[in-house]
């Protein structure tokens, strides 16, 4: 299985190179992208099956691409958390790509290569085991995201893209400063080796170690949309095209993944004076992010803006939950990460279809509703195919019913209301917050004030999300009368249905998924499993003269 680890990185890189070699042949780009993205999902599922099939919660597969001794060469590692993130990324990416095939992939030249480079960066972040390559894959991911955000052009995209670019360049600079300080104190960039050396850091250098870790955390939390450094997110995510917005739903989770990975390795309970370093600040940051974003949803009217704010609510919830460093809460948070990411990706895609149906309504008889979703004069030149036909609008049966039911499902998932997976995720976190041993052993005195505060915020933010999204639903679906029926493409509706079906499957198989996330959380609480797996991996033996057939 070890050699399989590098495949999720090489496959999108090879696909991007092939597409660039194919120049501007759109059909080739599309075919290669679909094959590579589907192949990425198969590889991610294979890695997940291999890691889970090993049986041990802390099973880690390690691969040394350069065949150098650890910690001097590049190291890739896959455990339960990595495999989970790879599968989630592949599912969201496939849905976004299928939606883009309807028209958005034709609004620019390099959509498909940038899409694959984005996947390469995301997969690399989840698989790398050293800070240097973590920075490299972060930059690959962000470089591709700059191009994808500007895809389709438009003044508002350029303006939002500039803010996005500046804030992420600043965060990347902090990333470099933090990594440099950690390297200066520990003398290594390998995460497992660094975790071992932290215990031996002299007391006089421990302040420098903490400063470097704090700077690194600020860089990650900026990308994870921590308040008040998240002012760039809502304009950028709402300006992006619908499939890019759906793919960006997982971008904020990358910062949270790195926080969870690094802090569980570097600052566990046994880290001496550095144990749980920064946990209280992470909790405060999560609570502030969650509260501000939930209140901001009340003042928002448009669905794409509500979806972007829901991304911030999701990030705040995860920041606060993982700060407790308790397996029960972390397990619920990982389940919530899966459910919220799938639901928000579906909501970004759905927002465009709903907005399109409103344009049909406003134009009324002027629009040829049987052939177009909105008037042809409103289309950009890039939204026509080679024969001059518009690229949007084909009828599907019960279009309005599909939009309404999908919106209700997204609302229930984002708000965490029964009976879908959003409720299971929040209930799992709430029960662990009240009592990690289960509600049957409820002990009020064992619940901290921070836990009660987060519990109240989780319930309150769910109600505010439900209020905001319900109000938007009433405005979009209930108030208008005698509206024309929107005309949608099946290829646009199928990804939304697929993402919502994935949430239904999460609900049906909630026990099995929670069992997996609990094993993942328990493995994160025992960093020695990951450290030992990485540090004891030996390079393959070099071939001898006899192996290569050299004559004496």
């Amino acid at each position: 299985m070890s050699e399989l680890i590098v495949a999720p990185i090489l496959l999108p890189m090879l696909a991007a190179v092939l597409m660039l070699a194919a120049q501007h042949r759109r059909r080739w780009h599309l075919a290669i992208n679909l094959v590579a993205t589907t192949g990425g999902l198969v590889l991610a599922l294979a890695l997940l099956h291999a890691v889970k099939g090993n049986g041990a919660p802390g099973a880690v597969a390690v691969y040394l691409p350069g065949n150098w001794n650890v910690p001097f060469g590049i190291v890739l590692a896959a455990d339960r958390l990595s495999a989970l993130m790879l599968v989630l990324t592949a599912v969201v990416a496939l849905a976004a790509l299928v939606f883009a095939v309807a028209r958005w992939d034709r609004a620019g030249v390099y959509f498909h290569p940038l899409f694959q480079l984005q996947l390469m960066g995301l997969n690399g972040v989840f698989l790398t085991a050293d800070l240097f390559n973590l920075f490299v894959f972060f930059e690959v991911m962000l470089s591709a995201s700059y191009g994808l955000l500007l895809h389709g052009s438009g003044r508002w995209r350029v303006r939002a893209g500039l803010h996005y670019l500046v804030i992420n360049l600043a965060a990347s600079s902090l990333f470099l400063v933090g990594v440099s300080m950690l390297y200066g104190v520990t003398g290594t960039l390998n995460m497992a080796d660094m975790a071992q050396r932290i215990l031996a850091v002299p007391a006089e250098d421990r302040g420098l170690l903490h400063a470097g870790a704090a700077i690194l955390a600020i860089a990650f939390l900026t990308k994870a949309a921590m308040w008040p450094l998240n002012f760039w997110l809502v304009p950028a995510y709402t300006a992006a095209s619908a499939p890019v917005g759906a793919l960006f739903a997982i971008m904020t989770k990358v910062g949270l993944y790195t926080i969870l990975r690094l802090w569980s390795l570097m600052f566990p309970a046994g880290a001496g004076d550095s144990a749980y370093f920064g946990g209280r600040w992470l909790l405060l940051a999560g609570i502030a992010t969650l509260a501000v974003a939930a209140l901001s949803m009340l003042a928002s009217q448009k669905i794409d803006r509500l979806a972007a704010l829901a991304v911030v609510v999701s990030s705040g919830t995860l920041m606060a939950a993982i700060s407790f460093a308790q397996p029960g809460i972390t397990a619920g948070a990982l389940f919530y990460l899966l459910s919220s990411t799938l639901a928000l990706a579906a909501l970004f895609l759905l927002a465009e279809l709903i907005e399109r149906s409103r344009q049909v309504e406003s134009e009324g008889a002027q629009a040829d509703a049987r052939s177009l979703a909105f008037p042809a004069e409103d289309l950009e030149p890039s939204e026509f195919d080679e024969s001059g036909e518009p690229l949007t609008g084909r009828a599907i049966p019960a279009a309005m019913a599909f939009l309404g039911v999908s919106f209700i499902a997204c609302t229930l998932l984002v708000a965490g209301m029964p009976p879908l997976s959003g409720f299971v995720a929040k209930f799992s976190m709430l029960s662990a917050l009240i009592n990690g041993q289960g509600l049957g052993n409820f002990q009020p005195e064992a619940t901290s004030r921070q836990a009660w505060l987060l519990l109240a915020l989780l319930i309150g933010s769910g109600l505010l999300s439900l209020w905001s999204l319900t109000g938007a639903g009433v405005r979009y679906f209930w108030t208008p009368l005698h509206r024309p029926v929107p005309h949608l493409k099946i290829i646009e509706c199928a990804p939304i249905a697929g993402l919502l079906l994935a949430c239904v499957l999460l609900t049906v198989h909630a026990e099995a998924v929670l069992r997996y996330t609990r094993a993942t959380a328990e493995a994160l609480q025992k960093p020695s499993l990951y450290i030992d797996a990485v540090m004891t991996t030996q390079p393959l033996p070099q071939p001898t003269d006899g192996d290569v057939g050299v004559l004496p």
Side-chain angles (χ1 to χ4, degrees):
M1 187 188 71
S2 298
E3 291 77 8
L4 191 64
I5 299 175
V6 75
I9 300 172
L10 290 181
L11 179 63
M13 183 176 71
L14 180 62
V17 171
L18 287 176
M19 285 186 274
L20 291 174
Q23 296 183 344
H24 302 319
R25 297 182 180 90
R26 178 187 169 273
R27 292 182 187 279
W28 281 94
H29 285 196
L30 176 59
I32 294 171
N33 201 354
L34 281 171
V35 169
T37 306
T38 307
L41 177 58
V42 173
L43 286 171
L45 289 172
L47 272 175
L48 181 74
H49 178 73
V51 172
K52 182 184 174 188
N54 186 284
V60 182
V62 182
Y63 181 65
L64 308 178
N67 208 32
W68 283 60
N69 285 309
V70 179
F72 303 108
I74 298 172
V75 183
L76 301 177
D79 63 351
R80 285 174 173 261
L81 181 59
S82 304
L84 189 72
M85 298 303 295
L86 287 176
V87 171
L88 180 62
T89 302
V91 170
V92 172
L94 188 59
L97 176 59
V98 172
F99 189 92
V101 169
R103 70 180 182 116
W104 275 111
D105 69 323
R106 308 178 201 190
V109 179
Y110 295 109
F111 175 83
H112 294 288
L114 288 171
F115 193 91
Q116 284 299 314
L117 288 175
Q118 174 93 66
L119 295 184
M120 175 191 167
L122 285 166
N123 292 345
V125 167
F126 298 139
L127 290 173
T128 186
D130 65 85
L131 289 178
F132 176 77
N133 284 294
L134 182 66
F135 176 78
V136 171
F137 286 121
F138 249 103
E139 291 310 301
V140 171
M141 176 187 73
L142 290 173
S143 300
S145 72
Y146 300 147
L148 287 174
L149 177 58
L150 296 174
H151 181 74
S153 68
R155 187 176 59 185
W156 69 96
R157 288 199 180 97
V158 174
R159 186 169 54 216
L162 285 175
H163 294 164
Y164 178 79
L165 176 65
V166 170
I167 193 70
N168 278 290
L169 285 178
S172 296
S173 302
L174 290 177
F175 192 149
L176 277 181
V177 173
V179 168
S180 302
M181 292 175 71
L182 290 177
Y183 180 75
V185 174
T186 62
T188 182
L189 289 175
N190 182 285
M191 292 190 284
D193 193 30
M194 186 178 289
Q196 285 185 326
R197 298 191 185 195
I198 279 178
L199 284 174
V201 171
E204 59 269 23
D205 290 341
R206 200 153 286 270
L208 193 59
L209 170 74
H210 291 171
I215 292 173
L216 199 61
I218 291 173
F220 293 142
L221 292 173
T222 301
K223 300 174 191 297
M226 178 187 71
W227 183 84
L229 300 176
N230 56 9
F231 59 90
W232 55 273
L233 187 141
V234 174
Y237 279 37
T238 52
S241 62
V244 174
L247 188 60
F248 280 7
I250 203 166
M251 291 274 284
T252 52
K253 308 303 186 298
V254 175
L256 293 165
Y257 164 84
T258 47
I259 287 282
L260 184 57
R261 169 69 72 200
L262 288 178
W263 259 245
S264 64
L265 282 174
M266 294 165 56
F267 304 115
D273 294 338
S274 300
Y276 300 124
F277 169 70
R280 178 175 296 180
W281 289 105
L282 185 61
L283 175 64
L284 293 175
I287 286 174
T289 304
L290 175 57
V292 173
L295 289 172
S296 300
M297 291 184 75
L298 288 176
S300 300
Q301 304 289 322
K302 297 185 66 175
I303 293 180
D304 55 356
R305 187 173 175 82
L306 285 169
L309 287 168
V311 169
V312 183
V313 169
S314 170
S315 290
T317 301
L318 290 168
M319 280 179 217
I322 64 178
S323 70
F324 283 85
Q326 294 179 11
I329 302 175
T330 304
L334 291 176
F335 190 97
Y336 175 80
L337 185 152
L338 292 174
S339 174
S340 63
T341 305
L342 294 170
L344 290 171
L347 188 57
F348 272 111
L349 300 180
L350 190 62
E352 176 173 301
L353 302 188
I354 293 174
E355 285 293 336
R356 190 186 302 170
S357 72
R358 281 169 54 85
Q359 293 181 23
V360 170
E361 175 196 354
S362 63
E363 293 297 333
Q366 286 77 26
D368 182 4
R370 287 177 299 178
S371 60
L372 279 177
F374 45 84
E377 56 267 27
D378 287 353
L379 297 176
E380 298 290 336
S382 59
E383 294 177 313
F384 293 87
D385 61 17
E386 293 83 355
S387 60
E389 292 295 323
L391 299 172
T392 56
R394 292 291 188 275
I396 67 167
M400 187 54 72
F402 172 80
L403 293 180
V405 171
S406 299
F407 184 77
I408 291 172
C410 286
T411 300
L412 294 177
L413 285 164
V414 171
M417 295 293 148
L420 295 176
S421 56
F423 173 74
V424 178
K426 283 202 172 181
F427 185 80
S428 177
M429 283 191 290
L430 292 176
S431 60
L433 279 170
I434 294 174
N435 194 333
Q437 302 303 317
L439 291 179
N441 300 314
F442 177 60
Q443 297 175 350
E445 64 277 7
T447 305
S448 64
R449 285 181 298 176
Q450 294 89 342
W452 284 115
L453 176 60
L454 179 57
L455 184 146
L457 277 174
L458 284 178
I459 296 174
S461 64
L463 293 175
L464 290 177
S465 301
L466 181 65
W467 180 284
S468 306
L469 289 167
T470 301
V474 169
R475 286 193 299 276
Y476 280 84
F477 294 104
W478 194 352
T479 306
L481 299 174
H482 310 299
R483 69 165 69 189
V485 176
H487 288 236
L488 311 173
K489 283 186 173 182
I490 293 177
I491 201 170
E492 292 173 317
C493 299
I496 297 171
L499 290 170
L500 294 179
L501 178 62
C503 292
V504 173
L505 291 176
L506 274 182
T507 311
V508 174
H509 299 287
E511 184 179 354
V513 178
L514 278 171
R515 199 160 49 239
Y516 183 93
T517 58
R518 280 193 205 101
T520 306
E522 288 168 4
L524 290 171
Q525 294 297 313
K526 300 173 183 174
S528 59
L529 299 173
Y530 185 95
I531 294 170
D532 291 344
V534 172
M535 297 304 294
T536 57
T537 301
Q538 296 295 322
L540 295 174
Q542 297 295 325
T544 63
D545 291 347
D547 294 332
V548 298
V550 175
L551 295 174

